[in-house]
Amino acid sequence: MKSFRLKSVLVVLFLSIGLVSCSNDDDEKTPATTTKAALVTEIKGPATGKVNDELSYEVTYTVDNACGEFDKISEVTIGAVKGLQVIAKYPTGVCTQQVPEPKKTVYKYKATAKGTIEIKFKKSETEFLTQKVVIQ
């Protein structure tokens, strides 16, 4: 009986060591990135739309270096005015690519009521680029 109990303890100990040593911490090595607001230079899209129709706007923005890529669109406030900003992500390593070119992304908007709305994107630290849209 003691022999069986000793063998059982050794098997459990061996399996425990095997499971602990096989953690997957090293398997998920994603390259580190940083994010920063990118400044918008142009908004292209329809000037009119209808309630509950999805409108698409092509937003052109500049990045700091050629390695910058689109991450997301977030809300921002300048003074008391609310608007949107493009967030770009950059790898933390050295960027070996040449001069950055303007990048584009699509912003989708769906109006829920009639009226004139303004889509505002951050174009500098103190002002927005505005696209007026009449919703019928």
Side-chain angles (χ1 to χ4, degrees):
M1 188 67 142
K2 288 184 180 184
S3 174
F4 178 74
R5 184 174 279 171
L6 180 62
K7 287 181 183 179
S8 297
V9 170
L10 288 175
V11 168
V12 170
L13 183 62
F14 177 77
L15 290 175
S16 298
I17 291 171
L19 290 175
V20 171
S21 66
C22 293
S23 77
N24 64 354
D25 294 344
D26 297 333
D27 295 343
E28 297 178 25
K29 289 185 179 179
T30 56
T33 59
T34 59
T35 58
K36 183 178 177 186
L39 303 178
V40 171
T41 58
E42 184 178 29
I43 305 170
K44 288 184 183 177
T48 60
K50 295 185 178 184
V51 174
N52 293 326
D53 280 355
E54 188 173 77
L55 304 174
S56 295
Y57 293 90
E58 184 179 74
V59 179
T60 305
Y61 61 96
T62 57
V63 290
D64 289 350
N65 61 45
C67 294
E69 295 179 5
F70 175 80
D71 185 32
K72 63 184 176 180
I73 293 176
S74 67
E75 293 183 1
V76 66
T77 303
I78 298 177
V81 182
K82 291 185 178 184
L84 302 168
Q85 69 181 351
V86 174
I87 303 294
K89 61 183 173 183
Y90 302 90
T92 54
V94 177
C95 180
T96 59
Q97 296 179 5
Q98 297 299 318
V99 180
E101 293 184 14
K103 308 255 183 179
K104 297 179 188 239
T105 189
V106 176
Y107 172 69
K108 296 185 184 277
Y109 178 78
K110 191 175 198 178
T112 57
K114 291 183 179 183
T116 301
I117 58 127
E118 293 182 342
I119 298 173
K120 299 177 183 179
F121 275 93
K122 185 178 176 182
K123 77 172 187 177
S124 74
E125 294 302 318
T126 58
E127 57 188 332
F128 289 107
L129 186 62
T130 304
Q131 171 79 36
K132 289 189 179 190
V133 183
V134 177
I135 305 297
Q136 303 170 355

